[in-house]
Amino acid sequence: MYKYSFALLLCAVIALVSVVCIPIITQPAKKTPPHITVVFILDQFAYNYLPKLKPFLRYGIKSLLDKGVVYDDAHHPLAVPETSPGHHSISTGSLPTYHGVAYNSWTSLIDYTKIRYETDLSPRGDILRATGEIQPGASPHNTTVDGLSDQFMRLSREQNRRAAYSFSLKMHPVISCANRLGKALWLDSKTGLFTSSKAYFDKLPAWVESFNKIHHDATTKPLYWKTAYPPHSKAYAFPHSRNYSYAAYPTSMITEDTKPIVIPGVSAHELFVRSPQSSELLFDLAKASVNHLQHEGKDRLLLFISLSNLDLCGHMYGPDSVECIDIIYHLDKQIADFMHFINTKFGAKNVLYALTADHGVCPIPEITAQKGYHPAKRIVAKKIIAEMNDLVEKKYRLSNFVKSYEPSFFIVDQQALLAAGKEKGDQIMHDLKTFLIAQPAIKKAWLRQEIAQLPFQIDDLEQFYKNQLYKDRNGDLIIMTEPYSLITNYEKGTSHSSPYEYDTHVPLIIHQEGAFKHTHITEKVWIPQLPHTLARILGIVRPSASPFKRLPGIV
Ligand SMILES: [Zn+2]
């Protein structure tokens, strides 16, 4: 009897131990190296949108949030987190001080003209277009390091099966991702057709020509904007979502399906690229490319899909607007549709997904002030430049000394500064710096050479300015605004030009079915850690100028 009970007890213990231990002693699921990598970049998708809109995200973004490795505190270490440096964080894993793309554009210190990152006037940059007016060419020649697309294509193994493609409505984000060895395709603002440059193709591939033929009137036919949810649903019921007093467009673009969108003075193309239809067209192009590449026997793909409509709309209407909110709902559905297409073709376990953003956005300052945060201010740059020039004129008899402002920096007359001599030149610059610090929306100001020498910690907001110093691509006087304030060349709308949370904190999710367990990583991480992480998962060399370690949570 006693012996019998002992045997029973032993059995129960063994059963219990095996139940408890099974998850420990079982081998972890064997990871399938991904055949396809898709990086979704939602331009201007500030992290702040997620907690606000999460109850209404039901499709692609939701499935990635529910199944992926989700980084809750991922930041761009940039003081002016703009599209080109932000995309370089994602593609090169490096900092502007190494990759050279200090901003979207910088000012020539010789003739004070604006130099856009992607502009290339050499034959290498020639745009591939049969018709249309001449415009400056485009290439990645201003990027001074390699990126993930380069490393993916450089690998000799499986070379004939590999392709790295980047797609966007705009040329600068897509060139930022394609690097030199990938291929870039963007929507030409003059013709409304997809194009590229000599930097990527000798001539436009036939499949792109065919796609263009089918969609030749995409940007010119009457455009309607129907909301993803019924217009009066809770999904849009947020304060100031229909406040157009400070928007750069005076009226809404949302017309439902009753009448086409018309905003006086705004071209059909400008309206199209701000609509949900533009990202749908981009996804259609990406699908056509995958079909074509697969037909060519290429089944090891790296795809960057940079979605610009949220950014283009955000600058006009601000992140509180129903337009921005609705674009995110549309993107949620379109991403799900694209993931379904890819998963069906290649099997979900073979596909690695990443979703992130190139930067966030500052809410419209006047709306922030209306909400009760009164320090939020807009200072129009030309007004402050006029006051600076007045000061120099009166005290030093030098006219038009301050030449221009680009977010976070002022450029002064280089020749006049040189001619003034060291002592007087230092005095002028000191006076201008003192003037700037006294302005209500400015927290700090530095001379360029001064901030270059100051020591900061990696987390310090001041360090983000140093991360963006590169040769002659910055200004003479660098400023840090107060939070929620903007110094801008525009009297309405908003931008992203500060080291603060709303501009630098973005979503970051990595997902491959069966490879990584769903988890939330709460520790602070940096977006430039992503390319190193993706390189490791793909078994390729990390981009060579990435000083960042891999992201946690990915074994
Ligand atoms: Zn952007």
Side-chain angles (χ1 to χ4, degrees):
M1 172 70 190
Y2 193 71
K3 201 172 159 188
Y4 181 66
S5 305
F6 180 75
L8 255 182
L9 183 68
L10 191 66
C11 282
V13 167
I14 289 170
L16 185 68
V17 165
S18 48
V19 166
V20 169
C21 294
I22 276 170
I24 299 165
I25 57 174
T26 305
Q27 289 293 315
K30 196 171 178 303
K31 287 186 178 57
T32 318
H35 294 176
I36 316 294
T37 304
V38 181
V39 183
F40 298 113
I41 303 168
L42 279 61
D43 204 309
Q44 207 182 103
F45 191 32
Y47 180 86
N48 297 334
Y49 278 120
L50 276 187
K52 177 172 160 176
L53 305 184
K54 208 173 165 200
F56 309 103
L57 297 173
R58 296 178 185 162
Y59 305 97
I61 299 174
K62 179 183 163 55
S63 90
L64 290 170
L65 282 169
D66 286 351
K67 296 197 274 183
V69 180
V70 182
Y71 298 88
D72 293 330
D73 200 14
H75 293 254
H76 285 275
L78 301 172
V80 187
E82 295 183 327
T83 298
S84 297
H87 279 74
H88 276 76
S89 296
I90 299 163
S91 76
T92 69
S94 195
L95 295 166
T97 197
Y98 302 119
H99 61 60
V101 187
Y103 312 100
N104 281 353
S105 58
W106 45 89
T107 303
S108 159
L109 297 181
I110 296 160
D111 60 8
Y112 310 108
T113 51
K114 211 169 170 172
I115 301 166
R116 288 197 58 83
Y117 148 68
E118 71 278 12
T119 300
D120 185 350
L121 301 176
S122 77
R124 163 193 52 201
D126 284 354
I127 306 288
L128 303 172
R129 196 170 52 203
T131 57
E133 58 196 86
I134 303 294
Q135 74 174 79
S139 85
H141 75 118
N142 276 320
T143 304
T144 58
V145 302
D146 54 272
L148 197 67
S149 296
D150 292 328
Q151 294 297 352
F152 185 78
M153 292 310 295
R154 217 170 55 83
L155 197 76
S156 57
R157 192 164 51 86
E158 300 173 328
Q159 186 68 39
N160 54 355
R161 296 174 70 177
R162 283 176 179 254
Y165 269 70
S166 297
F167 310 94
S168 176
L169 300 174
K170 300 195 284 189
M171 58 169 80
H172 56 299
V174 78
I175 288 174
S176 301
C177 293
N179 315 136
R180 284 169 172 79
L181 299 184
K183 303 289 184 195
L185 287 162
W186 63 85
L187 192 68
D188 187 319
S189 59
K190 297 284 190 291
T191 61
L193 303 173
F194 282 98
T195 191
S196 189
S197 82
K198 280 271 166 67
Y200 297 106
F201 301 96
D202 290 331
K203 64 193 254 294
L204 210 55
W207 70 268
V208 181
E209 300 272 21
S210 316
F211 185 89
N212 281 337
K213 250 186 211 137
I214 298 166
H215 300 276
H216 67 98
D217 61 348
T219 65
T220 50
K221 66 184 176 193
L223 182 67
Y224 299 85
W225 185 328
K226 191 169 162 44
T227 47
Y229 294 104
H232 296 292
S233 86
K234 278 195 296 191
Y236 306 104
F238 297 101
H240 294 278
S241 67
R242 289 183 169 87
N243 180 347
Y244 294 94
S245 314
Y246 311 101
Y249 286 169
T251 54
S252 177
M253 279 181 64
I254 298 178
T255 55
E256 295 303 327
D257 42 10
T258 52
K259 52 182 195 292
I261 308 167
V262 177
I263 294 185
V266 183
S267 71
H269 184 91
E270 287 300 301
L271 293 174
F272 177 78
V273 292
R274 288 174 170 82
S275 72
Q277 282 93 323
S278 62
S279 43
E280 196 160 330
L281 182 72
L282 192 74
F283 276 118
D284 285 346
L285 179 82
K287 285 181 192 170
S289 100
V290 169
N291 285 335
H292 163 77
L293 292 168
Q294 202 183 24
H295 183 70
E296 273 197 333
K298 299 199 187 293
D299 56 2
R300 300 289 183 271
L301 308 181
L302 171 61
L303 309 175
F304 286 95
I305 304 179
S306 174
L307 300 146
S308 309
N309 45 4
L310 177 62
D311 177 80
L312 292 163
C313 236
H315 280 291
M316 297 294 143
Y317 291 111
D320 288 293
S321 67
V322 67
E323 283 79 5
C324 285
I325 292 168
D326 193 48
I327 283 185
I328 293 168
Y329 296 152
H330 280 284
L331 288 172
D332 185 34
K333 285 184 176 175
Q334 292 165 359
I335 288 169
D337 174 65
F338 188 75
M339 287 171 68
H340 178 73
F341 166 84
I342 292 284
N343 291 349
T344 308
K345 239 177 198 327
F346 300 99
K349 291 194 169 175
N350 294 319
V351 189
L352 172 68
Y353 290 104
L355 182 145
T356 189
D358 56 343
H359 52 76
V361 62
C362 180
I364 290 183
E366 292 84 353
I367 290 182
T368 305
Q370 279 196 355
K371 285 180 179 176
Y373 188 76
H374 300 297
K377 280 193 178 49
R378 175 193 305 267
I379 294 188
V380 176
K382 65 181 176 206
K383 185 174 162 281
I384 206 167
I385 289 178
E387 290 175 28
M388 291 164 85
N389 278 334
D390 248 23
L391 184 155
V392 180
E393 172 106 49
K394 279 194 187 121
K395 192 164 170 189
Y396 300 98
R397 295 174 184 278
L398 289 170
S399 58
N400 198 22
F401 185 74
V402 179
K403 290 289 181 191
S404 68
Y405 171 79
E406 285 296 321
S408 95
F409 63 86
F410 292 90
I411 303 255
V412 305
D413 188 327
Q414 305 295 300
Q415 280 162 348
L417 183 63
L418 201 65
K422 170 130 180 49
E423 196 178 327
K424 189 171 158 192
D426 285 354
Q427 258 178 26
I428 301 172
M429 295 306 280
H430 175 78
D431 284 354
L432 288 175
K433 181 181 147 182
T434 309
F435 169 83
L436 287 172
I437 293 172
Q439 300 307 306
I442 294 177
K443 187 182 284 299
K444 297 188 179 200
W446 303 274
L447 303 180
R448 186 197 188 282
Q449 59 272 30
E450 182 184 22
I451 197 168
Q453 286 162 10
L454 289 169
F456 303 113
Q457 301 293 314
I458 185 172
D459 280 290
D460 291 345
L461 301 182
E462 290 91 338
Q463 178 60 35
F464 295 5
Y465 291 87
K466 279 185 79 172
N467 292 343
Q468 264 169 291
L469 298 181
Y470 187 84
K471 294 190 182 176
D472 56 359
R473 295 180 181 179
N474 311 94
D476 303 292
L477 282 155
I478 296 174
I479 53 150
M480 182 182 199
T481 58
E482 297 288 357
Y484 294 104
S485 286
L486 275 182
I487 297 187
T488 163
N489 292 315
Y490 303 98
E491 304 210 358
K492 294 215 164 166
T494 190
S495 195
H496 35 84
S497 51
S498 84
Y500 296 118
E501 203 272 348
Y502 48 83
D503 278 339
T504 64
H505 186 188
V506 293
L508 175 61
I509 310 169
I510 293 176
H511 172 60
Q512 186 189 349
E513 202 167 298
F516 312 114
K517 275 191 189 151
H518 167 62
T519 179
H520 280 264
I521 306 283
T522 53
E523 76 181 84
K524 187 173 189 176
V525 298
W526 303 107
I527 294 298
Q529 291 180 255
L530 178 64
H532 185 182
T533 309
L534 296 180
R536 172 70 177 211
I537 299 169
L538 292 170
I540 60 173
V541 175
R542 70 201 271 193
S544 62
S546 178
F548 290 88
K549 60 183 181 187
R550 296 195 305 269
L551 289 161
I554 301 282
V555 181

